Amino acid sequence: MDVKYTIWAPDKGLEDIQAKIFSHASGLPERAEVIRERNLQRVPEMTRYALTSEGEPLAYITARDSSSEEGRTYVGYPWTMPGCPPEAQKKIFDEMMAYLDKRDETKEIGTTVIQRSKLRNTQIEFFKKQGFVEEEHVFRYILALDVVETSKMKVSEKAAALTSKVATEADMDHLVEIFLAEEGLRNQISDADGIKSYFRDRVLADGHAVMLFDGDTIVAATAPLRFQPNQVRVIGDEERIIMRFTAVKPGYNYAWLRLLVELAKECKKTKWTDIPIQAETYFTGSGPASVGLAEICPELDDFETIMVKRKK
Amino acid sequence: MDVVYKKWNPDEGLEEVQAKIYTGVSGLPARPEEIKPRNIRRGEDSTHYVLSKEGEPLAYVTSWINDENPTEGGIGYPWSFPECPLEAKEKIFSELFTHLKKEKKLKDIRTGIVLSSKIAKDQIKFFEEKGFKEHERAYRFTKDLDVDKMATKKLEGKAAELKSRPATNDDVDILIEVALSDPQLNRAFPDEDGFRNYFENRVLKDGNAVLILDGDKVVAASAALKLKPDGVFLFGDEERVLMRFTAIRPGYDYAWKKLVVEIAKPVKNAGWKDIPIRVGFGFNVEGAVARGVAGLIPDLEEYELFMTYKVE
């Protein structure tokens, strides 16, 4: 088979190809517009594709620098479509690793394997063969909170002093400001136009976004979204109200509980009292007790495995 | 008041002084035999003391530089008895802090504040005034397991194929070997003698230690310890049985479940079956959502606050 190799470039529909390969191979959801944003923030060499000579998707691989662990670069699994020649899969992986080996800023290479991926075991075996060692697990603790009960929850005096408001189009500048204040969100969409279109076309179109202010300053915002289980964001088989984005200004950690309460009030007003609100936190743990406990405790979700290879 | 300033040396029983001050002021336990090797590792310039002219303990402060990452170091709170002159306490802290700030590679100076310390609020205020900022918090996910249920639990899969036997005085070398193979445990003591002393004089003396075997190979070990709440390892006001050390050979994480089941058996035989086995693991989080969610989870204990000073 004739295989074409290419690195990322915008406006060629490569993000659609990438989403298609990932969803097909892993069985997990992915959105092309999120991929596009992400790829635009990395150098083109951090995303590589194998295509047929007609431009049909065969395989791709990505890498990214960790935002919190200095010197660590994460590489993905070389995802493939059925019919991709194994040599092509190997070639994009080897070329990515050779590229990362030459980068001074990469001191160690990590990979994350999502527990619910259809190919989980294949991925783990693949990386083990390449010299990666299992190091930690990312766990997710999931709470399902009753809307009415949560709307009555007591918050600290400081949090009670903040004022709340349901967002409208007139609040666009506030929303952009708080979105950019949250590192995790900023890493997903960084340009003001992209953020505006996210709020205008999706969040505000669906409505019910709540904001908290300290005087005139926006300090937190979120919005409820009824969400069907997709086995990543919502697991199991019951619908949940998720906090579709959560932005809290640094220094205002205490505002989160108030934000949750205001979200619950808004859900109650909308008569979304039939399903619980899902609140969740991710954390990294290591050691056998963490993995063993996740098997015993249903609220503790063993979300992904982190494997690491240190450079020589 | 006339005071005497001293640096650490291993010959004067200063580790006893240090434990006495720490426990007296914080209300938290400390072991001189663990302080000594730690101080030796940190070096003579890293721990400073204030004593009265008669040699009575007044204050101490300790510091460290991360062995694996020379850009990261830390300094402790200057623990002092009420009769210690304030200037003496300030002097040993500022001298050590100044000394650390001169370390060429050092970028971050950290401190950890155990939140169950009697003077945690004073400690936080002290470090805020010195320019330290909150960085992250350590939590512990804990679960109480019923002894009867665990002792009779049927295991499935690979864990069911493992064997077990009680550890006896003849097993010290085996215990040391498996403890050293565990990447989380092998730094608990500075050398093999430390482990030998721990197993001989504490673990095996108290009993209730078990070994887990894969064929003839010991792959995991632990021991049951009945513990009263101490404000560090066990919060609350009820006794629990703890797994006092948990050694797992790499690749045998699945042996943890077998270990819990096998620990439950001697616990039951010892007549402690009404005291649940407390298992858990620690992790660090930063950010509003994580702290907010953690606050709603009864199985999570907020344990320690880390603050960081950025060296210019």
Side-chain angles (χ1 to χ4, degrees):
Chain A
M1 188 193 274
D2 262 1
V3 182
K4 255 190 343 198
Y5 296 95
T6 179
I7 59 171
W8 160 257
D11 308 322
K12 290 191 172 172
L14 288 166
E15 58 273 28
D16 294 309
I17 285 176
Q18 194 171 328
K20 193 169 158 186
I21 301 173
F22 180 77
S23 295
H24 181 90
S26 71
L28 302 170
E30 189 54 284
R31 284 210 317 266
E33 64 267 32
V34 177
I35 293 175
R36 182 186 148 82
E37 281 297 335
R38 228 163 39 201
N39 288 359
L40 280 172
Q41 292 179 34
R42 303 174 188 170
V43 295
E45 287 80 7
M46 294 290 249
T47 314
R48 294 156 189 266
Y49 304 83
L51 309 172
T52 66
S53 46
E54 291 78 39
E56 288 300 312
L58 285 175
Y60 82 89
I61 186 164
T62 62
R64 67 178 169 91
D65 288 321
S66 168
S67 57
S68 55
E69 299 133 315
E70 211 182 307
R72 183 180 291 183
T73 303
Y74 282 100
V75 66
Y77 181 71
W79 298 100
T80 60
M81 293 298 275
C84 172
E87 315 84 73
Q89 182 190 31
K90 180 101 179 32
K91 185 174 156 83
I92 56 170
F93 182 80
D94 289 346
E95 286 183 356
M96 180 67 91
M97 290 298 277
Y99 170 73
L100 295 179
D101 263 336
K102 285 198 199 111
R103 280 176 100 225
D104 287 339
E105 51 273 56
T106 300
K107 306 269 187 276
E108 58 182 25
I109 302 171
T111 192
T112 61
V113 179
I114 294 184
Q115 212 70 4
R116 285 187 177 74
S117 160
K118 283 196 293 194
L119 287 186
R120 177 185 179 270
N121 292 335
T122 312
Q123 290 170 252
I124 288 180
E125 279 316 307
F126 176 87
F127 283 105
K128 263 190 195 162
K129 265 197 202 133
Q130 306 292 334
F132 286 67
V133 176
E134 178 174 328
E135 189 159 287
E136 315 177 291
H137 285 244
V138 176
F139 294 96
R140 179 166 56 164
Y141 195 103
I142 304 172
L143 287 168
L145 302 163
D146 179 77
V147 169
V148 177
E149 291 297 314
T150 307
S151 71
K152 291 188 254 175
M153 229 181 250
K154 283 252 172 306
V155 300
S156 70
E157 220 168 279
K158 265 203 303 192
L162 302 171
T163 51
S164 83
K165 182 177 181 296
V166 175
T168 66
E169 193 115 5
D171 298 305
M172 189 56 89
D173 290 343
H174 288 308
L175 290 169
V176 172
E177 181 187 331
I178 194 67
F179 191 94
L180 286 171
E182 179 77 43
E183 191 194 355
L185 295 173
R186 199 167 59 225
N187 287 342
Q188 285 176 41
I189 320 177
S190 56
D191 66 300
D193 285 343
I195 298 168
K196 279 183 187 165
S197 87
Y198 168 72
F199 279 113
R200 196 174 43 240
D201 305 339
R202 295 175 51 207
V203 178
L204 294 171
D206 296 337
H208 314 299
V210 293
M211 306 178 292
L212 293 180
F213 289 85
D214 181 359
D216 296 332
T217 310
I218 186 160
V219 297
T222 188
L225 180 67
R226 292 182 72 104
F227 204 86
Q228 292 292 338
N230 65 355
Q231 304 317 325
V232 178
R233 189 71 188 266
V234 175
I235 58 174
D237 49 17
E238 286 167 32
E239 196 181 6
R240 293 278 184 263
I241 299 166
I242 61 165
M243 299 166 85
R244 64 191 305 177
F245 70 94
T246 304
V248 177
K249 192 177 164 77
Y252 284 89
N253 280 0
Y254 65 86
W256 183 84
L257 192 61
R258 174 76 190 279
L259 194 63
L260 174 70
V261 171
E262 293 304 325
L263 180 89
K265 284 186 189 163
E266 183 60 21
C267 291
K268 196 175 143 196
K269 234 183 356 192
T270 318
K271 305 231 158 35
W272 288 358
T273 51
D274 54 326
I275 52 171
I277 298 171
Q278 171 171 308
E280 72 228 300
T281 183
Y282 292 85
F283 59 86
T284 306
S286 59
S290 59
V291 179
L293 268 172
E295 283 181 43
I296 302 175
C297 309
E299 68 278 18
L300 190 63
D301 180 36
D302 186 356
F303 185 71
E304 63 187 8
T305 305
I306 298 177
M307 300 173 77
V308 177
K309 181 180 187 174
R310 292 185 214 290
K311 266 190 185 175
K312 277 175 203 124
Chain B
M1 188 185 204
D2 271 356
V3 298
V4 179
Y5 295 99
K6 261 202 173 118
K7 283 183 184 175
W8 163 255
N9 72 72
D11 308 319
E12 287 186 64
L14 288 166
E15 63 275 16
E16 307 274 351
V17 166
Q18 196 169 328
K20 199 166 155 187
I21 300 173
Y22 180 76
T23 300
V25 183
S26 71
L28 303 171
R31 283 178 180 281
E33 65 268 32
E34 285 168 13
I35 292 172
K36 189 170 180 171
R38 199 163 62 205
N39 285 1
I40 292 174
R41 202 167 58 229
R42 290 175 181 177
E44 300 208 343
D45 291 331
S46 297
T47 311
H48 294 190
Y49 302 82
V50 186
L51 306 171
S52 72
K53 243 171 49 189
E54 294 74 34
E56 288 301 311
L58 288 174
Y60 81 91
V61 62
T62 182
S63 68
W64 60 93
I65 288 172
N66 190 328
D67 302 338
E68 287 174 4
N69 177 7
T71 67
E72 194 187 281
I75 189 165
Y77 181 72
W79 296 97
S80 66
F81 281 129
E83 58 271 29
C84 176
L86 205 59
E87 317 83 73
K89 172 179 170 165
E90 280 289 341
K91 179 179 153 77
I92 53 170
F93 181 84
S94 61
E95 281 181 2
L96 204 52
F97 192 36
T98 308
H99 173 73
L100 267 185
K101 284 193 276 191
K102 283 188 195 140
E103 283 288 333
K104 282 209 180 67
K105 287 184 177 163
L106 209 58
K107 284 190 200 152
D108 289 338
I109 302 177
R110 302 186 58 161
T111 195
I113 294 154
V114 177
L115 293 165
S116 52
S117 154
K118 283 198 288 196
I119 59 159
K121 278 191 184 150
D122 298 339
Q123 293 170 253
I124 295 170
K125 197 164 156 263
F126 177 87
F127 282 108
E128 275 173 354
E129 283 168 7
K130 305 285 181 204
F132 285 69
K133 290 208 164 60
E134 171 164 350
H135 166 65
E136 57 183 9
R137 289 182 184 238
Y139 289 84
R140 198 156 49 196
F141 181 85
T142 62
K143 207 81 191 169
D144 285 340
L145 306 174
D146 180 80
V147 173
D148 259 334
K149 256 190 220 157
M150 290 317 294
T152 54
K153 192 178 166 73
K154 283 259 175 311
L155 292 172
E156 288 165 13
K158 285 194 290 187
E161 289 160 29
L162 299 171
K163 300 277 175 281
S164 82
R165 67 174 174 83
T168 70
N169 289 334
D170 299 331
D171 294 319
V172 174
D173 289 331
I174 291 175
L175 284 166
I176 293 171
E177 194 272 326
V178 72
L180 290 173
S181 80
D182 182 322
Q184 293 212 352
L185 193 62
N186 66 14
R187 287 156 50 122
F189 296 100
D191 53 24
E192 214 181 292
D193 281 347
F195 280 96
R196 183 172 300 279
N197 176 48
Y198 172 71
F199 286 122
E200 268 178 10
N201 297 324
R202 289 171 56 199
V203 175
L204 290 167
K205 224 169 233 171
D206 297 338
N208 302 316
V210 298
L211 303 177
I212 305 295
L213 296 98
D214 180 8
D216 295 331
K217 185 161 72 172
V218 173
V219 298
S222 186
L225 177 70
K226 193 165 68 165
L227 194 74
K228 287 197 173 38
D230 62 356
V232 178
F233 296 107
L234 185 59
F235 289 173
D237 47 18
E238 288 173 28
E239 275 190 322
R240 290 287 179 268
V241 172
L242 264 62
M243 291 162 76
R244 64 190 303 177
F245 68 95
T246 304
I248 308 250
R249 197 179 291 285
Y252 283 93
D253 276 6
Y254 65 89
W256 183 80
K257 271 181 289 181
K258 175 78 173 166
L259 200 52
V260 178
V261 169
E262 294 306 325
I263 285 285
K265 291 175 184 169
V267 169
K268 201 176 161 181
N269 292 336
W272 302 342
K273 74 176 179 59
D274 296 329
I275 306 171
I277 301 175
R278 168 68 57 91
V279 293
F281 60 93
F283 58 91
N284 294 354
V285 300
E286 52 185 317
V289 178
R291 273 201 68 199
V293 175
L296 298 176
I297 303 173
D299 296 328
L300 282 188
E301 291 172 346
E302 196 177 53
Y303 171 74
E304 195 168 4
L305 165 69
F306 294 102
M307 300 176 78
T308 301
Y309 177 92
K310 297 264 173 217
V311 182
E312 309 270 304

